[in-house]
Amino acid sequence: ELWLEARNGDPLVYDATYGGLVTEKGLYDHDADFGNGYYNDHHFHYGYLLHAAAVAVKNDAGFAAKHRRALFALLYDVASPGSGHSLDSVDVDARAFPRARHKDFYAGHSWASGIFFMGQGKAQESSSEAANAYYGAYLLALSLGDVALADWCRTLLAMEVRAARYYYH
């Protein structure tokens, strides 16, 4: 709960420049927190939080009500559907986040390393953690009762798994 309420030593804050949640230290130092402020591996790291949040929401409706805004913000950082998503029940605007930040819709998989320059190009690094991120996003959206968002996340997951099978496994 400390992370969702920004009461920890390095809270998540909204970065208006690139439209996402980063650690406060990462916002001012791109090397802090493994490059969190430059969106390095957000889908990997936040995927674990999304999965845990889905379990908490499924087992405690009060948790969902109390942290709804923060949960959607965390979900949108990794799996925002962009401007076409209905925002009736949430005061976090999906348009404030890029559509599926790490996803390469042509290749079907996600890229790691955020906005860091990579001399040899971007890398996938971990297809299993990428799949876990979209699975966590799917579970959280489903637990929050947003069927359209759950379907979007399930599509991202299916693309990730298909690409992993095609390119890596």
Side-chain angles (χ1 to χ4, degrees):
E1 287 192 82
L2 295 176
W3 284 96
L4 296 173
E5 296 172 357
R7 293 188 297 123
N8 62 322
D10 191 13
L12 294 175
V13 295
Y14 181 75
D15 169 24
T17 301
Y18 294 106
L21 294 183
V22 298
T23 60
E24 192 171 60
K25 290 177 185 171
L27 188 60
Y28 300 104
D29 177 2
H30 69 274
D31 289 324
D33 301 322
F34 301 98
N36 183 276
Y38 266 32
Y39 299 90
N40 183 51
D41 298 348
H42 272 211
H43 59 312
F44 298 161
H45 300 164
Y46 292 4
Y48 295 103
L49 298 174
L50 292 167
H51 196 136
V55 171
V57 167
K58 183 74 174 167
N59 291 295
D60 183 357
F63 183 86
K66 181 177 180 182
H67 300 294
R68 189 171 182 80
R69 185 173 193 277
L71 292 169
F72 271 97
L74 187 64
L75 200 158
Y76 288 159
D77 185 81
V78 172
S80 174
S83 61
H85 188 66
S86 171
L87 305 169
D88 296 342
S89 63
V90 184
D91 62 349
V92 176
D93 194 335
R95 295 170 294 191
F97 297 84
R99 181 178 307 221
R101 177 183 312 282
H102 298 283
K103 181 63 78 179
D104 181 328
F105 287 94
Y106 180 78
H109 63 79
S110 298
W111 295 108
S113 68
I115 58 174
F116 280 99
F117 173 76
M118 305 296 287
Q120 296 180 2
K122 299 290 186 186
Q124 164 57 299
E125 292 182 23
S126 178
S127 58
S128 61
E129 285 183 302
N132 180 65
Y134 299 119
Y135 183 60
Y138 164 73
L139 291 176
L140 182 55
L142 200 61
S143 296
L144 290 167
D146 193 326
V147 176
L149 184 57
D151 285 346
W152 166 251
C153 294
R154 190 174 61 186
T155 300
L156 296 175
L157 171 61
M159 291 174 67
E160 199 70 38
V161 170
R162 185 171 189 273
R165 285 181 179 154
Y166 181 80
Y167 294 113
Y168 307 113
H169 301 289

